[in-house]
Amino acid sequence: MTKSRIAAIDVGNDSIKAIFGELEYELNIPNIIARDTEDRPVIGIEELDNKNPLDGIHVKIHSPALKENNVIYRVGNLATKSNNATELDPGSSKSEEDQTLIMLFTTLALDAVKDDATFLKTKNIIDANYTLGTGLPLREVKEGKDAGYRSKLMGSVHQVEFLVTPKYQGLKVNLKFNEVKVYPEGFAAYINLVMDNNLKIINKDLIDRRILIQDIGGLSTDIAVIKNRNVDDDKAQGFNLGVSESLEAIREEIRTKHGVELDSRRDVVEIITRKNDRNHIMVKGSRTSVHDITDRILLDLAKKQYRLLRNVWSKNSQTEICYFVGGGAHVLKDYIKTLNNNLDGYNLEFFEDDKESIWMMANAYYKLIMDFARKTEKQNIVKQPQPQPVKS
Ligand SMILES: Nc1ncnc2c1ncn2[C@@H]1O[C@H](COP(=O)(O)OP(=O)(O)OP(=O)(O)O)[C@@H](O)[C@H]1O
Ligand SMILES: [Mg+2]
């Protein structure tokens, strides 16, 4: 049997989070792609070898799993700069979009090329086997789309060819899956809250309680309802409301009001969450407050999020606590807390650390897939025939 490497990947609408191997490698790539041609122009005297590959992901993907095969894409940061970039549409199904697969394959290929020693490499071709843990929104799992998604991945070899990409230009990666596990997103968050890396219960208090998990992402918000150690499929709800739109609105208003062009939503996040000089920018060299803008827009979104919570809580009146996760929870934390103090006073919990909040799903998939891999390994050891004594 060929050696297979563990990968846990959360394909978020805003960004992909991936954890590999023995936790030794992580990737976070914006979920943006743009169609391109064979030779992307290298601007100026851009020296491909000295640049960060993640800023120049340019790939051609061959896979029977794709609706459109053999297309060339810019991925992540490089795609941001294109005028034909596409981000996932909130109404779409993750499991049925080529974009999901393109992001997934590219992320795996980036891991595979990083360190030749892990996989078999002949000339410019790397054969990489993975045991993958990933997830889909509860809604899609409820519709049974997880099975089709899994078999699309398992059924064939998927090839990622690096074109004009720093360091990796000319490399091809053949991806195969030994196993793919598709977990429902809400359930995964619960697992991460109550169990450690060995799936030992770390939070006895929580495990049998009725809880809600409100995941505020870039484009969507999901509220999972947990009861009897399980996700209540019928009660869980997804909403097409994330934090990206508000971040974009803040960026736009800073531009029109102060004439300052921020590069990305990430810059906005930085301004509203940093420890020192929060909610201030430099305008022509003078420190200037943008608090009025950020406060109004974020409070508005926090109110909408609070309304979603109220709505779900009222239908699940015996809920004991709600956890807020996702990047949006980090941005809206103070606003939601203040609203809650003045209004219903629900029992709410946030994570102090933004990383914990944002990597919640990826961490959960990692725990689950590691546990799966350990169990199969044990079984294989038991099943293996005992060596016969050698006759001399
Ligand atoms: N520390 C942070 N680092 C990066 N992004 C952050 C941070 N804090 C907040 N954000 C913002 O939070 C938003 C949501 O991020 P998150 O990674 O949770 O979304 P996602 O899981 O990719 O999207 P979805 O859940 O809609 O599929 C993004 O718009 C991001 O800009
Ligand atoms: Mg998410």
Side-chain angles (χ1 to χ4, degrees):
M1 206 176 73
T2 32
K3 202 172 174 312
S4 129
R5 182 162 157 90
I6 293 281
I9 305 190
D10 169 19
V11 187
N13 285 306
D14 188 71
S15 73
I16 288 11
K17 295 93 176 161
I19 305 172
F20 298 99
E22 299 289 326
L23 276 174
E24 80 266 6
Y25 191 48
E26 282 178 6
L27 278 171
N28 187 189
I29 303 171
N31 188 346
I32 307 177
I33 59 171
R35 276 169 173 263
D36 204 358
T37 49
E38 196 88 27
D39 315 294
R40 80 174 170 89
V42 175
I43 317 280
I45 35 172
E46 179 186 347
E47 269 189 73
L48 278 179
D49 279 349
N50 295 331
K51 291 205 88 187
N52 183 352
L54 299 184
D55 288 329
I57 308 171
H58 184 240
V59 290
K60 183 172 182 178
I61 303 186
H62 318 261
S63 162
L66 293 168
K67 289 183 194 127
E68 285 190 275
N69 204 355
N70 296 319
V71 178
I72 297 169
Y73 294 100
R74 296 171 176 229
V75 177
N77 291 339
L78 186 65
T80 321
K81 297 176 198 118
S82 311
N83 46 15
N84 62 334
T86 56
E87 300 182 47
L88 282 177
D89 170 12
S92 63
S93 289
K94 252 187 213 180
S95 59
E96 288 170 345
E97 293 294 326
D98 272 1
Q99 180 153 349
T100 307
L101 296 174
I102 289 155
M103 293 305 303
L104 190 71
F105 296 152
T106 304
T107 305
L108 290 164
L110 282 166
D111 172 66
V113 289
K114 178 190 61 89
D115 175 12
D116 302 343
T118 319
F119 298 112
L120 184 69
K121 186 179 177 189
T122 7
K123 285 196 184 144
N124 283 335
I125 302 183
I126 296 167
D127 284 301
N129 276 286
Y130 284 93
T131 298
L132 172 70
T134 187
L136 286 176
L138 213 52
R139 175 175 59 81
E140 290 180 53
V141 176
K142 267 202 270 190
E143 290 165 2
K145 290 184 172 152
D146 51 332
Y149 185 63
R150 176 178 176 275
S151 52
K152 258 197 293 199
L153 293 172
M154 294 282 295
S156 37
V157 179
H158 318 276
Q159 189 185 71
V160 177
E161 182 182 350
F162 288 96
L163 302 175
V164 192
T165 302
K167 288 200 180 107
Y168 305 139
Q169 186 164 22
L171 289 180
K172 291 178 183 173
V173 181
N174 286 333
L175 296 166
K176 263 201 280 185
F177 294 101
N178 270 18
E179 183 55 83
V180 175
K181 292 277 180 190
V182 183
Y183 305 104
E185 287 178 354
F187 176 68
Y190 169 68
I191 291 293
N192 199 47
L193 284 173
V194 299
M195 290 170 181
D196 70 3
N197 269 336
N198 298 313
L199 295 195
K200 289 229 168 59
I201 296 168
I202 45 170
N203 201 334
K204 278 215 182 72
D205 272 355
L206 200 57
I207 192 152
D208 285 315
R209 293 171 82 182
R210 292 190 184 194
I211 61 180
L212 301 181
I213 299 171
Q214 185 155 342
D215 179 3
I216 308 177
L219 299 177
S220 65
T221 295
D222 284 292
I223 308 185
V225 180
I226 313 281
K227 213 165 90 181
N228 301 327
R229 303 189 179 195
N230 231 317
V231 200
D232 191 333
D233 279 359
D234 303 327
K235 296 279 179 59
Q237 291 211 47
F239 307 90
N240 294 336
L241 174 72
V243 80
S244 294
E245 217 176 298
S246 303
L247 297 174
E248 206 52 57
I250 292 172
R251 184 155 82 125
E252 179 59 24
E253 207 168 317
I254 289 179
R255 195 177 63 80
T256 47
K257 190 166 171 196
H258 298 290
V260 171
E261 190 91 50
L262 301 170
D263 279 345
S264 67
R265 292 176 210 153
R266 267 315 290 262
D267 290 350
V268 180
V269 173
E270 216 270 315
I271 290 165
I272 58 188
T273 58
R274 66 185 166 211
K275 295 240 154 51
N276 299 316
D277 244 359
R278 186 176 297 181
N279 291 311
H280 282 79
I281 58 166
M282 295 307 285
V283 181
K284 297 179 186 139
S286 307
R287 184 174 170 274
T288 306
S289 170
V290 290
H291 215 148
D292 52 334
I293 300 173
T294 55
D295 252 1
R296 175 166 37 76
I297 294 174
L298 293 178
L299 183 61
D300 190 54
L301 177 62
K303 281 182 186 160
K304 288 181 186 158
Q305 290 288 345
Y306 198 70
R307 246 174 260 148
L308 298 182
L309 173 71
R310 255 190 183 155
N311 184 287
V312 176
W313 202 304
S314 73
K315 291 178 187 145
N316 299 277
S317 64
Q318 293 310 293
T319 298
E320 295 170 68
I321 187 167
C322 176
Y323 281 84
F324 280 85
V325 305
H330 178 61
V331 173
L332 296 176
K333 180 162 69 185
D334 293 339
Y335 296 95
I336 294 177
K337 276 185 182 172
T338 307
L339 283 174
N340 189 46
N341 284 339
N342 297 330
L343 298 167
D344 303 29
Y346 293 118
N347 187 16
L348 306 184
E349 187 76 36
F350 288 82
F351 291 90
E352 274 317 309
D353 183 8
D354 56 337
K355 206 175 166 210
E356 204 173 351
S357 194
I358 288 166
W359 284 76
M360 175 75 56
M361 297 297 164
N363 285 335
Y365 301 148
Y366 187 78
K367 287 176 185 177
L368 290 161
I369 199 69
M370 270 309 236
D371 184 66
F372 167 81
R374 270 192 298 260
K375 280 181 183 145
T376 10
E377 198 176 315
K378 243 189 226 157
Q379 270 173 9
N380 286 341
I381 292 168
V382 176
K383 270 191 215 151
Q384 252 165 34
Q386 295 302 305
Q388 299 298 310
V390 183
K391 285 181 196 134
S392 54

